[in-house]
Amino acid sequence: MQADYVIVGAGSAGCAIAYRLAEAGKRVLVIEHGGSDAGPLIQMPGALSYPMNMARYDWGYRTEPEPHLGGRRLACPRGKVLGGSSSINGMIYVRGHARDYDHWRDQGAEGWGYADVLPYFRRMEDWHDGGHGGDPAWRGVGGPLHVTRGSRINPLTRAFVAAGRQAGYTATGDYNGQQQEGFGPFDMTVWKGERWSAARAYLRPALKRPNCDLVHAFARRIVIEDGRAVGVEVARGGQIEVIRAEAEVILAASSINSPKLLMLSGIGPATHLAEHGIAVVADRPGVGQNLQDHLELYIQAAASQPVSLFTYWNLLGKAYVGARWLFTRRGPGASNQFESAAFIRSAAGVDYPDIQYHFLPIAVRYDGQAAAEGHGFQAHVGPMRSPSRGHVTLRSADPAAPPRILFNYMSHEKDWADFRTCIRLTREIFAQEAFAPYFRKEIQPAPEAQTDEDLDAFIREHVESAYHPCGTARMGRRDDPMAVVDPEARVIGVECLRLADSSIFPRITNGNLNAPSIMVGEKVSDHILARAPLPPDNRAPWINPKWQDAQR
């Protein structure tokens, strides 16, 4: 088997690249280990807690014991299914802040400033504001990726935004438009009541073309001959074979699996490869390093009225939601229920938001366990730019062995101070008049947890990953010893090999990572095709004029 381009991974970026290369007439093969994304558990937005907890759809990775979290091993789900993590995520659509991308550019990712990436976000979007306001001049229409908004009919969803304004924060009609900062509606990758993953937006249309095919196989390593990537060694049907690429191999296997495959192929820190008996093709010490994530806490409150989604948290209620969705694609099952958001600054002197909120009108965990208090609500809150860094390394030279993942969460004092700030700011928001008709009591951290020591103990025990790993093969200048790919996503030190997924992020962006990952696929596809980048869009984002002197 061979093609012009072989893409490893049918995830957010890989699907976008397959679509654009096939559209350009190139012969494309996409290798994916996971199976079909068909079925209601993936396609029903309200069922989002199921696929990310199922071995059928998830690689099932866990971290090594995290030393600053009491040795806890945290889940690190990655999609093992068509669409990758876009098929098991929370369907939240956040571009990131303009300053995130300007930071990328300033750190050596030339051509990746906000003016450079904004046209790609617009190209990929088919945005529908649903009558909830928005910023159409900054959004895209007609692209492959449908972006919509929930109905926001639950009164708690509206109370959250009202409370933010009462607390003195600004409102924003479109955090993906000119102004990220503030409280407002969430965007989601849902269309006509169903999950709109990268598989549905990009891969399925690509596979309808005669020049694009899908290969279900397990990628073992990149085959490199005389310094040039010529194919991918895979396991398929009990056999080991090589799928050859005449032009390029494109690695898009996730920020966990992409560095693993690079190292198995001899590209990575030479001493680490030598420990596992792997011949060094390119000594790139940055491979697997710079691992970043967002952590979050669930600040939960019990409700004084039966207004939350707990109404449906029983066998009969779930049957009603499921049946209504199956027959009409409407009702609570047609939304991810994250319908209100906020991006705020933690302190005066912070120039753009560094805290994100997801508001949910029920008190529940990601694994689907509801709070014992019954009706309630919660804000998922966490800092956006942790200074902590971890790494992905090989457990062994066996491709079937899972990698070692250590995020080194909460390794800086700033992390602890930031989370304490998050808790106290959230309590203030929940104490506003807008929540007075609904707020009964705080569930967690619990009202008695007030001192720094109390809050640190709560953080250590309850902080969870937001599932946004990135940065393990960062993009930079070719003379940067810790860079893994150059600004055209070419792996430094090997010909005809690119890497395009969240691995290449120099620093994590504000918010959820699916949108930036797809954008990477869109932009890198133009580099692969040797096309001139889309013309820069130099409009300036909104920055709070009081940022130097005021927190809000």
mmCIF file of all heavy atoms in Angstrom, residues 165-213:
data_model
loop_
_atom_site.group_PDB
_atom_site.id
_atom_site.type_symbol
_atom_site.label_atom_id
_atom_site.label_comp_id
_atom_site.label_asym_id
_atom_site.label_seq_id
_atom_site.Cartn_x
_atom_site.Cartn_y
_atom_site.Cartn_z
ATOM 1 N N ARG A 165 -21.912 39.719 35.791
ATOM 2 C CA ARG A 165 -22.061 41.163 35.576
ATOM 3 C C ARG A 165 -22.273 41.883 36.904
ATOM 4 O O ARG A 165 -21.725 42.961 37.132
ATOM 5 C CB ARG A 165 -23.214 41.433 34.617
ATOM 6 C CG ARG A 165 -22.984 40.825 33.238
ATOM 7 C CD ARG A 165 -23.990 41.286 32.221
ATOM 8 N NE ARG A 165 -23.791 42.701 31.882
ATOM 9 C CZ ARG A 165 -24.406 43.316 30.888
ATOM 10 N NH1 ARG A 165 -25.264 42.653 30.130
ATOM 11 N NH2 ARG A 165 -24.187 44.575 30.631
ATOM 12 N N GLN A 166 -23.071 41.273 37.794
ATOM 13 C CA GLN A 166 -23.300 41.885 39.101
ATOM 14 C C GLN A 166 -22.016 41.975 39.917
ATOM 15 O O GLN A 166 -21.848 42.894 40.730
ATOM 16 C CB GLN A 166 -24.370 41.099 39.861
ATOM 17 C CG GLN A 166 -25.769 41.257 39.280
ATOM 18 C CD GLN A 166 -26.756 40.252 39.854
ATOM 19 O OE1 GLN A 166 -26.393 39.381 40.648
ATOM 20 N NE2 GLN A 166 -28.019 40.364 39.447
ATOM 21 N N ALA A 167 -21.117 41.032 39.688
ATOM 22 C CA ALA A 167 -19.831 41.050 40.398
ATOM 23 C C ALA A 167 -18.854 42.054 39.793
ATOM 24 O O ALA A 167 -17.731 42.191 40.302
ATOM 25 C CB ALA A 167 -19.222 39.652 40.400
ATOM 26 N N GLY A 168 -19.254 42.700 38.720
ATOM 27 C CA GLY A 168 -18.424 43.754 38.144
ATOM 28 C C GLY A 168 -17.640 43.378 36.914
ATOM 29 O O GLY A 168 -16.844 44.176 36.404
ATOM 30 N N TYR A 169 -17.860 42.167 36.406
ATOM 31 C CA TYR A 169 -17.162 41.743 35.196
ATOM 32 C C TYR A 169 -17.914 42.210 33.955
ATOM 33 O O TYR A 169 -19.124 42.445 33.989
ATOM 34 C CB TYR A 169 -17.016 40.218 35.164
ATOM 35 C CG TYR A 169 -16.166 39.667 36.277
ATOM 36 C CD1 TYR A 169 -16.738 39.139 37.433
ATOM 37 C CD2 TYR A 169 -14.774 39.684 36.181
ATOM 38 C CE1 TYR A 169 -15.961 38.635 38.464
ATOM 39 C CE2 TYR A 169 -13.984 39.186 37.203
ATOM 40 C CZ TYR A 169 -14.578 38.667 38.347
ATOM 41 O OH TYR A 169 -13.799 38.184 39.362
ATOM 42 N N THR A 170 -17.211 42.279 32.853
ATOM 43 C CA THR A 170 -17.841 42.622 31.586
ATOM 44 C C THR A 170 -18.575 41.406 31.024
ATOM 45 O O THR A 170 -18.307 40.267 31.417
ATOM 46 C CB THR A 170 -16.784 43.112 30.578
ATOM 47 O OG1 THR A 170 -17.412 43.557 29.378
ATOM 48 C CG2 THR A 170 -15.799 42.001 30.221
ATOM 49 N N ALA A 171 -19.501 41.654 30.140
ATOM 50 C CA ALA A 171 -20.143 40.583 29.379
ATOM 51 C C ALA A 171 -19.545 40.560 27.981
ATOM 52 O O ALA A 171 -19.030 41.574 27.497
ATOM 53 C CB ALA A 171 -21.650 40.801 29.297
ATOM 54 N N THR A 172 -19.594 39.404 27.344
ATOM 55 C CA THR A 172 -19.184 39.309 25.942
ATOM 56 C C THR A 172 -20.189 38.454 25.191
ATOM 57 O O THR A 172 -20.591 37.392 25.674
ATOM 58 C CB THR A 172 -17.759 38.726 25.800
ATOM 59 O OG1 THR A 172 -17.428 38.646 24.409
ATOM 60 C CG2 THR A 172 -17.626 37.340 26.420
ATOM 61 N N GLY A 173 -20.606 38.952 24.039
ATOM 62 C CA GLY A 173 -21.535 38.184 23.219
ATOM 63 C C GLY A 173 -20.859 37.083 22.440
ATOM 64 O O GLY A 173 -21.524 36.181 21.920
ATOM 65 N N ASP A 174 -19.500 37.130 22.357
ATOM 66 C CA ASP A 174 -18.785 36.144 21.546
ATOM 67 C C ASP A 174 -17.325 36.113 21.962
ATOM 68 O O ASP A 174 -16.516 36.899 21.478
ATOM 69 C CB ASP A 174 -18.909 36.492 20.060
ATOM 70 C CG ASP A 174 -18.414 35.383 19.153
ATOM 71 O OD1 ASP A 174 -17.836 34.407 19.673
ATOM 72 O OD2 ASP A 174 -18.602 35.490 17.932
ATOM 73 N N TYR A 175 -16.995 35.195 22.857
ATOM 74 C CA TYR A 175 -15.607 35.091 23.315
ATOM 75 C C TYR A 175 -14.675 34.623 22.197
ATOM 76 O O TYR A 175 -13.450 34.729 22.314
ATOM 77 C CB TYR A 175 -15.500 34.159 24.535
ATOM 78 C CG TYR A 175 -15.895 32.727 24.246
ATOM 79 C CD1 TYR A 175 -15.009 31.839 23.653
ATOM 80 C CD2 TYR A 175 -17.170 32.264 24.540
ATOM 81 C CE1 TYR A 175 -15.365 30.537 23.365
ATOM 82 C CE2 TYR A 175 -17.541 30.955 24.265
ATOM 83 C CZ TYR A 175 -16.640 30.107 23.679
ATOM 84 O OH TYR A 175 -17.003 28.813 23.379
ATOM 85 N N ASN A 176 -15.240 34.083 21.099
ATOM 86 C CA ASN A 176 -14.420 33.716 19.939
ATOM 87 C C ASN A 176 -14.324 34.844 18.919
ATOM 88 O O ASN A 176 -13.746 34.662 17.850
ATOM 89 C CB ASN A 176 -15.000 32.469 19.265
ATOM 90 C CG ASN A 176 -14.619 31.187 19.991
ATOM 91 O OD1 ASN A 176 -13.473 31.016 20.385
ATOM 92 N ND2 ASN A 176 -15.578 30.293 20.180
ATOM 93 N N GLY A 177 -14.895 35.998 19.242
ATOM 94 C CA GLY A 177 -14.831 37.153 18.366
ATOM 95 C C GLY A 177 -13.757 38.117 18.828
ATOM 96 O O GLY A 177 -12.674 37.721 19.266
ATOM 97 N N GLN A 178 -14.080 39.397 18.781
ATOM 98 C CA GLN A 178 -13.085 40.409 19.134
ATOM 99 C C GLN A 178 -12.754 40.393 20.619
ATOM 100 O O GLN A 178 -11.617 40.642 21.007
ATOM 101 C CB GLN A 178 -13.602 41.801 18.745
ATOM 102 C CG GLN A 178 -12.592 42.916 18.988
ATOM 103 C CD GLN A 178 -13.109 44.269 18.553
ATOM 104 O OE1 GLN A 178 -14.308 44.515 18.525
ATOM 105 N NE2 GLN A 178 -12.196 45.160 18.203
ATOM 106 N N GLN A 179 -13.756 40.091 21.481
ATOM 107 C CA GLN A 179 -13.569 40.205 22.924
ATOM 108 C C GLN A 179 -13.765 38.864 23.611
ATOM 109 O O GLN A 179 -14.890 38.388 23.759
ATOM 110 C CB GLN A 179 -14.553 41.226 23.512
ATOM 111 C CG GLN A 179 -14.439 41.377 25.020
ATOM 112 C CD GLN A 179 -15.448 42.344 25.596
ATOM 113 O OE1 GLN A 179 -15.923 43.253 24.914
ATOM 114 N NE2 GLN A 179 -15.778 42.168 26.871
ATOM 115 N N GLN A 180 -12.655 38.264 24.049
ATOM 116 C CA GLN A 180 -12.778 37.027 24.812
ATOM 117 C C GLN A 180 -13.199 37.302 26.244
ATOM 118 O O GLN A 180 -14.004 36.563 26.824
ATOM 119 C CB GLN A 180 -11.463 36.249 24.814
ATOM 120 C CG GLN A 180 -11.590 34.872 25.475
ATOM 121 C CD GLN A 180 -10.275 34.156 25.682
ATOM 122 O OE1 GLN A 180 -9.480 34.541 26.535
ATOM 123 N NE2 GLN A 180 -10.043 33.114 24.892
ATOM 124 N N GLU A 181 -12.676 38.333 26.839
ATOM 125 C CA GLU A 181 -12.888 38.569 28.262
ATOM 126 C C GLU A 181 -14.355 38.828 28.583
ATOM 127 O O GLU A 181 -15.010 39.640 27.923
ATOM 128 C CB GLU A 181 -12.033 39.747 28.736
ATOM 129 C CG GLU A 181 -12.114 39.989 30.225
ATOM 130 C CD GLU A 181 -11.115 41.024 30.712
ATOM 131 O OE1 GLU A 181 -10.089 41.248 30.034
ATOM 132 O OE2 GLU A 181 -11.356 41.609 31.788
ATOM 133 N N GLY A 182 -14.856 38.151 29.614
ATOM 134 C CA GLY A 182 -16.208 38.404 30.074
ATOM 135 C C GLY A 182 -17.034 37.133 30.200
ATOM 136 O O GLY A 182 -16.548 36.012 30.004
ATOM 137 N N PHE A 183 -18.311 37.327 30.549
ATOM 138 C CA PHE A 183 -19.291 36.260 30.728
ATOM 139 C C PHE A 183 -20.239 36.234 29.536
ATOM 140 O O PHE A 183 -20.681 37.294 29.076
ATOM 141 C CB PHE A 183 -20.106 36.497 32.000
ATOM 142 C CG PHE A 183 -19.382 36.167 33.278
ATOM 143 C CD1 PHE A 183 -18.280 36.913 33.694
ATOM 144 C CD2 PHE A 183 -19.798 35.113 34.078
ATOM 145 C CE1 PHE A 183 -17.614 36.621 34.871
ATOM 146 C CE2 PHE A 183 -19.134 34.805 35.257
ATOM 147 C CZ PHE A 183 -18.038 35.560 35.659
ATOM 148 N N GLY A 184 -20.561 35.036 29.039
ATOM 149 C CA GLY A 184 -21.469 34.952 27.906
ATOM 150 C C GLY A 184 -21.729 33.517 27.485
ATOM 151 O O GLY A 184 -21.369 32.570 28.183
ATOM 152 N N PRO A 185 -22.344 33.345 26.307
ATOM 153 C CA PRO A 185 -22.705 32.002 25.840
ATOM 154 C C PRO A 185 -21.508 31.220 25.315
ATOM 155 O O PRO A 185 -20.565 31.784 24.785
ATOM 156 C CB PRO A 185 -23.708 32.286 24.720
ATOM 157 C CG PRO A 185 -23.373 33.663 24.242
ATOM 158 C CD PRO A 185 -22.844 34.406 25.420
ATOM 159 N N PHE A 186 -21.592 29.891 25.474
ATOM 160 C CA PHE A 186 -20.572 28.971 24.967
ATOM 161 C C PHE A 186 -20.890 28.571 23.528
ATOM 162 O O PHE A 186 -22.055 28.443 23.146
ATOM 163 C CB PHE A 186 -20.555 27.693 25.807
ATOM 164 C CG PHE A 186 -19.306 27.471 26.596
ATOM 165 C CD1 PHE A 186 -19.376 27.024 27.910
ATOM 166 C CD2 PHE A 186 -18.054 27.678 26.047
ATOM 167 C CE1 PHE A 186 -18.234 26.792 28.659
ATOM 168 C CE2 PHE A 186 -16.892 27.455 26.780
ATOM 169 C CZ PHE A 186 -16.986 27.009 28.096
ATOM 170 N N ASP A 187 -19.850 28.344 22.734
ATOM 171 C CA ASP A 187 -19.965 27.719 21.418
ATOM 172 C C ASP A 187 -19.708 26.221 21.563
ATOM 173 O O ASP A 187 -18.918 25.790 22.405
ATOM 174 C CB ASP A 187 -18.921 28.281 20.449
ATOM 175 C CG ASP A 187 -19.297 29.648 19.894
ATOM 176 O OD1 ASP A 187 -20.440 30.089 20.099
ATOM 177 O OD2 ASP A 187 -18.424 30.272 19.264
ATOM 178 N N MET A 188 -20.360 25.436 20.685
ATOM 179 C CA MET A 188 -20.128 23.985 20.714
ATOM 180 C C MET A 188 -20.125 23.428 19.294
ATOM 181 O O MET A 188 -20.763 23.972 18.390
ATOM 182 C CB MET A 188 -21.183 23.280 21.573
ATOM 183 C CG MET A 188 -22.614 23.489 21.144
ATOM 184 S SD MET A 188 -23.765 22.669 22.300
ATOM 185 C CE MET A 188 -25.337 23.104 21.546
ATOM 186 N N THR A 189 -19.402 22.329 19.115
ATOM 187 C CA THR A 189 -19.348 21.648 17.816
ATOM 188 C C THR A 189 -20.481 20.623 17.772
ATOM 189 O O THR A 189 -20.262 19.412 17.852
ATOM 190 C CB THR A 189 -17.977 20.986 17.586
ATOM 191 O OG1 THR A 189 -17.636 20.225 18.749
ATOM 192 C CG2 THR A 189 -16.909 22.019 17.318
ATOM 193 N N VAL A 190 -21.685 21.151 17.658
ATOM 194 C CA VAL A 190 -22.908 20.348 17.573
ATOM 195 C C VAL A 190 -23.717 20.882 16.400
ATOM 196 O O VAL A 190 -23.810 22.097 16.199
ATOM 197 C CB VAL A 190 -23.732 20.451 18.879
ATOM 198 C CG1 VAL A 190 -25.083 19.760 18.730
ATOM 199 C CG2 VAL A 190 -22.956 19.840 20.041
ATOM 200 N N TRP A 191 -24.294 19.963 15.623
ATOM 201 C CA TRP A 191 -25.083 20.379 14.469
ATOM 202 C C TRP A 191 -26.330 19.504 14.373
ATOM 203 O O TRP A 191 -26.225 18.282 14.372
ATOM 204 C CB TRP A 191 -24.258 20.280 13.189
ATOM 205 C CG TRP A 191 -24.979 20.681 11.939
ATOM 206 C CD1 TRP A 191 -25.151 19.921 10.812
ATOM 207 C CD2 TRP A 191 -25.628 21.932 11.665
ATOM 208 N NE1 TRP A 191 -25.849 20.609 9.869
ATOM 209 C CE2 TRP A 191 -26.169 21.858 10.360
ATOM 210 C CE3 TRP A 191 -25.808 23.106 12.404
ATOM 211 C CZ2 TRP A 191 -26.872 22.915 9.778
ATOM 212 C CZ3 TRP A 191 -26.510 24.157 11.823
ATOM 213 C CH2 TRP A 191 -27.025 24.048 10.528
ATOM 214 N N LYS A 192 -27.475 20.174 14.351
ATOM 215 C CA LYS A 192 -28.770 19.483 14.274
ATOM 216 C C LYS A 192 -28.890 18.425 15.371
ATOM 217 O O LYS A 192 -29.383 17.316 15.156
ATOM 218 C CB LYS A 192 -28.983 18.875 12.889
ATOM 219 C CG LYS A 192 -29.086 19.939 11.798
ATOM 220 C CD LYS A 192 -29.366 19.333 10.432
ATOM 221 C CE LYS A 192 -29.521 20.429 9.377
ATOM 222 N NZ LYS A 192 -29.764 19.872 8.021
ATOM 223 N N GLY A 193 -28.418 18.800 16.567
ATOM 224 C CA GLY A 193 -28.562 17.940 17.727
ATOM 225 C C GLY A 193 -27.553 16.823 17.847
ATOM 226 O O GLY A 193 -27.663 16.001 18.752
ATOM 227 N N GLU A 194 -26.534 16.772 16.964
ATOM 228 C CA GLU A 194 -25.538 15.706 17.002
ATOM 229 C C GLU A 194 -24.130 16.286 17.093
ATOM 230 O O GLU A 194 -23.866 17.396 16.621
ATOM 231 C CB GLU A 194 -25.634 14.829 15.746
ATOM 232 C CG GLU A 194 -26.972 14.106 15.601
ATOM 233 C CD GLU A 194 -26.985 13.143 14.423
ATOM 234 O OE1 GLU A 194 -25.931 12.950 13.794
ATOM 235 O OE2 GLU A 194 -28.050 12.580 14.148
ATOM 236 N N ARG A 195 -23.232 15.491 17.700
ATOM 237 C CA ARG A 195 -21.818 15.872 17.748
ATOM 238 C C ARG A 195 -21.296 16.087 16.332
ATOM 239 O O ARG A 195 -21.501 15.246 15.441
ATOM 240 C CB ARG A 195 -21.008 14.752 18.420
ATOM 241 C CG ARG A 195 -19.520 15.030 18.480
ATOM 242 C CD ARG A 195 -18.756 13.799 18.927
ATOM 243 N NE ARG A 195 -19.011 13.447 20.310
ATOM 244 C CZ ARG A 195 -18.345 13.922 21.353
ATOM 245 N NH1 ARG A 195 -17.358 14.797 21.164
ATOM 246 N NH2 ARG A 195 -18.643 13.528 22.584
ATOM 247 N N TRP A 196 -20.611 17.203 16.119
ATOM 248 C CA TRP A 196 -20.007 17.462 14.815
ATOM 249 C C TRP A 196 -18.488 17.379 14.975
ATOM 250 O O TRP A 196 -17.797 18.377 15.137
ATOM 251 C CB TRP A 196 -20.456 18.809 14.265
ATOM 252 C CG TRP A 196 -20.224 18.917 12.791
ATOM 253 C CD1 TRP A 196 -19.286 19.665 12.160
ATOM 254 C CD2 TRP A 196 -20.932 18.226 11.742
ATOM 255 N NE1 TRP A 196 -19.351 19.480 10.800
ATOM 256 C CE2 TRP A 196 -20.348 18.597 10.518
ATOM 257 C CE3 TRP A 196 -21.993 17.311 11.739
ATOM 258 C CZ2 TRP A 196 -20.808 18.110 9.302
ATOM 259 C CZ3 TRP A 196 -22.437 16.820 10.522
ATOM 260 C CH2 TRP A 196 -21.850 17.221 9.319
ATOM 261 N N SER A 197 -17.993 16.167 14.937
ATOM 262 C CA SER A 197 -16.570 15.903 15.154
ATOM 263 C C SER A 197 -15.767 16.187 13.884
ATOM 264 O O SER A 197 -16.315 16.435 12.807
ATOM 265 C CB SER A 197 -16.383 14.438 15.535
ATOM 266 O OG SER A 197 -16.739 13.609 14.432
ATOM 267 N N ALA A 198 -14.438 16.095 14.029
ATOM 268 C CA ALA A 198 -13.574 16.235 12.850
ATOM 269 C C ALA A 198 -13.825 15.118 11.848
ATOM 270 O O ALA A 198 -13.647 15.305 10.638
ATOM 271 C CB ALA A 198 -12.111 16.243 13.279
ATOM 272 N N ALA A 199 -14.258 13.949 12.334
ATOM 273 C CA ALA A 199 -14.573 12.851 11.409
ATOM 274 C C ALA A 199 -15.759 13.211 10.527
ATOM 275 O O ALA A 199 -15.757 12.953 9.320
ATOM 276 C CB ALA A 199 -14.862 11.577 12.192
ATOM 277 N N ARG A 200 -16.771 13.818 11.123
ATOM 278 C CA ARG A 200 -17.957 14.167 10.350
ATOM 279 C C ARG A 200 -17.710 15.395 9.481
ATOM 280 O O ARG A 200 -18.200 15.477 8.360
ATOM 281 C CB ARG A 200 -19.132 14.403 11.296
ATOM 282 C CG ARG A 200 -19.456 13.178 12.143
ATOM 283 C CD ARG A 200 -20.761 13.314 12.865
ATOM 284 N NE ARG A 200 -21.885 13.136 11.945
ATOM 285 C CZ ARG A 200 -23.158 13.213 12.313
ATOM 286 N NH1 ARG A 200 -23.468 13.467 13.571
ATOM 287 N NH2 ARG A 200 -24.121 13.035 11.435
ATOM 288 N N ALA A 201 -16.955 16.346 10.000
ATOM 289 C CA ALA A 201 -16.718 17.583 9.255
ATOM 290 C C ALA A 201 -15.740 17.397 8.102
ATOM 291 O O ALA A 201 -15.928 17.953 7.022
ATOM 292 C CB ALA A 201 -16.195 18.663 10.209
ATOM 293 N N TYR A 202 -14.693 16.592 8.342
ATOM 294 C CA TYR A 202 -13.588 16.526 7.385
ATOM 295 C C TYR A 202 -13.360 15.133 6.786
ATOM 296 O O TYR A 202 -13.186 14.989 5.577
ATOM 297 C CB TYR A 202 -12.288 16.960 8.078
ATOM 298 C CG TYR A 202 -12.191 18.428 8.377
ATOM 299 C CD1 TYR A 202 -12.500 18.934 9.634
ATOM 300 C CD2 TYR A 202 -11.758 19.332 7.402
ATOM 301 C CE1 TYR A 202 -12.384 20.291 9.919
ATOM 302 C CE2 TYR A 202 -11.638 20.682 7.675
ATOM 303 C CZ TYR A 202 -11.953 21.155 8.929
ATOM 304 O OH TYR A 202 -11.841 22.491 9.209
ATOM 305 N N LEU A 203 -13.288 14.104 7.656
ATOM 306 C CA LEU A 203 -12.845 12.807 7.160
ATOM 307 C C LEU A 203 -13.869 12.154 6.236
ATOM 308 O O LEU A 203 -13.504 11.639 5.169
ATOM 309 C CB LEU A 203 -12.523 11.879 8.329
ATOM 310 C CG LEU A 203 -11.917 10.525 7.927
ATOM 311 C CD1 LEU A 203 -10.591 10.710 7.197
ATOM 312 C CD2 LEU A 203 -11.731 9.624 9.152
ATOM 313 N N ARG A 204 -15.140 12.172 6.643
ATOM 314 C CA ARG A 204 -16.138 11.521 5.793
ATOM 315 C C ARG A 204 -16.215 12.158 4.410
ATOM 316 O O ARG A 204 -16.251 11.437 3.405
ATOM 317 C CB ARG A 204 -17.503 11.527 6.484
ATOM 318 C CG ARG A 204 -17.597 10.443 7.535
ATOM 319 C CD ARG A 204 -19.034 10.084 7.875
ATOM 320 N NE ARG A 204 -19.051 8.924 8.758
ATOM 321 C CZ ARG A 204 -18.795 8.974 10.050
ATOM 322 N NH1 ARG A 204 -18.518 10.132 10.609
ATOM 323 N NH2 ARG A 204 -18.809 7.880 10.790
ATOM 324 N N PRO A 205 -16.249 13.487 4.292
ATOM 325 C CA PRO A 205 -16.220 14.071 2.941
ATOM 326 C C PRO A 205 -14.958 13.703 2.165
ATOM 327 O O PRO A 205 -15.018 13.470 0.952
ATOM 328 C CB PRO A 205 -16.287 15.579 3.208
ATOM 329 C CG PRO A 205 -16.951 15.708 4.535
ATOM 330 C CD PRO A 205 -16.482 14.519 5.322
ATOM 331 N N ALA A 206 -13.816 13.631 2.863
ATOM 332 C CA ALA A 206 -12.570 13.263 2.177
ATOM 333 C C ALA A 206 -12.633 11.840 1.647
ATOM 334 O O ALA A 206 -12.189 11.555 0.518
ATOM 335 C CB ALA A 206 -11.384 13.428 3.126
ATOM 336 N N LEU A 207 -13.199 10.924 2.458
ATOM 337 C CA LEU A 207 -13.255 9.518 2.054
ATOM 338 C C LEU A 207 -14.211 9.271 0.893
ATOM 339 O O LEU A 207 -14.153 8.215 0.257
ATOM 340 C CB LEU A 207 -13.645 8.638 3.247
ATOM 341 C CG LEU A 207 -12.607 8.553 4.377
ATOM 342 C CD1 LEU A 207 -13.163 7.781 5.560
ATOM 343 C CD2 LEU A 207 -11.315 7.916 3.873
ATOM 344 N N LYS A 208 -15.074 10.217 0.624
ATOM 345 C CA LYS A 208 -15.959 10.083 -0.538
ATOM 346 C C LYS A 208 -15.217 10.311 -1.848
ATOM 347 O O LYS A 208 -15.725 9.992 -2.922
ATOM 348 C CB LYS A 208 -17.126 11.068 -0.423
ATOM 349 C CG LYS A 208 -18.119 10.688 0.677
ATOM 350 C CD LYS A 208 -19.240 11.710 0.783
ATOM 351 C CE LYS A 208 -20.205 11.325 1.901
ATOM 352 N NZ LYS A 208 -21.268 12.356 2.086
ATOM 353 N N ARG A 209 -14.028 10.866 -1.735
ATOM 354 C CA ARG A 209 -13.211 11.078 -2.938
ATOM 355 C C ARG A 209 -12.448 9.798 -3.267
ATOM 356 O O ARG A 209 -12.029 9.058 -2.379
ATOM 357 C CB ARG A 209 -12.230 12.235 -2.724
ATOM 358 C CG ARG A 209 -12.904 13.587 -2.498
ATOM 359 C CD ARG A 209 -11.865 14.668 -2.240
ATOM 360 N NE ARG A 209 -12.494 15.974 -2.065
ATOM 361 C CZ ARG A 209 -12.778 16.810 -3.051
ATOM 362 N NH1 ARG A 209 -12.483 16.468 -4.305
ATOM 363 N NH2 ARG A 209 -13.352 17.968 -2.816
ATOM 364 N N PRO A 210 -12.199 9.528 -4.537
ATOM 365 C CA PRO A 210 -11.505 8.284 -4.910
ATOM 366 C C PRO A 210 -10.037 8.263 -4.498
ATOM 367 O O PRO A 210 -9.415 7.197 -4.490
ATOM 368 C CB PRO A 210 -11.650 8.241 -6.436
ATOM 369 C CG PRO A 210 -11.854 9.675 -6.848
ATOM 370 C CD PRO A 210 -12.617 10.308 -5.729
ATOM 371 N N ASN A 211 -9.478 9.431 -4.159
ATOM 372 C CA ASN A 211 -8.042 9.516 -3.867
ATOM 373 C C ASN A 211 -7.734 9.525 -2.373
ATOM 374 O O ASN A 211 -6.606 9.820 -1.977
ATOM 375 C CB ASN A 211 -7.441 10.764 -4.517
ATOM 376 C CG ASN A 211 -8.171 12.043 -4.126
ATOM 377 O OD1 ASN A 211 -9.387 12.046 -3.945
ATOM 378 N ND2 ASN A 211 -7.439 13.147 -4.017
ATOM 379 N N CYS A 212 -8.717 9.218 -1.523
ATOM 380 C CA CYS A 212 -8.482 9.191 -0.078
ATOM 381 C C CYS A 212 -9.034 7.904 0.496
ATOM 382 O O CYS A 212 -10.192 7.544 0.254
ATOM 383 C CB CYS A 212 -9.137 10.395 0.598
ATOM 384 S SG CYS A 212 -8.837 10.499 2.371
ATOM 385 N N ASP A 213 -8.216 7.197 1.274
ATOM 386 C CA ASP A 213 -8.632 5.929 1.873
ATOM 387 C C ASP A 213 -8.212 5.880 3.339
ATOM 388 O O ASP A 213 -7.260 6.542 3.765
ATOM 389 C CB ASP A 213 -8.013 4.738 1.132
ATOM 390 C CG ASP A 213 -8.678 4.503 -0.214
ATOM 391 O OD1 ASP A 213 -9.889 4.243 -0.219
ATOM 392 O OD2 ASP A 213 -7.973 4.588 -1.229
#
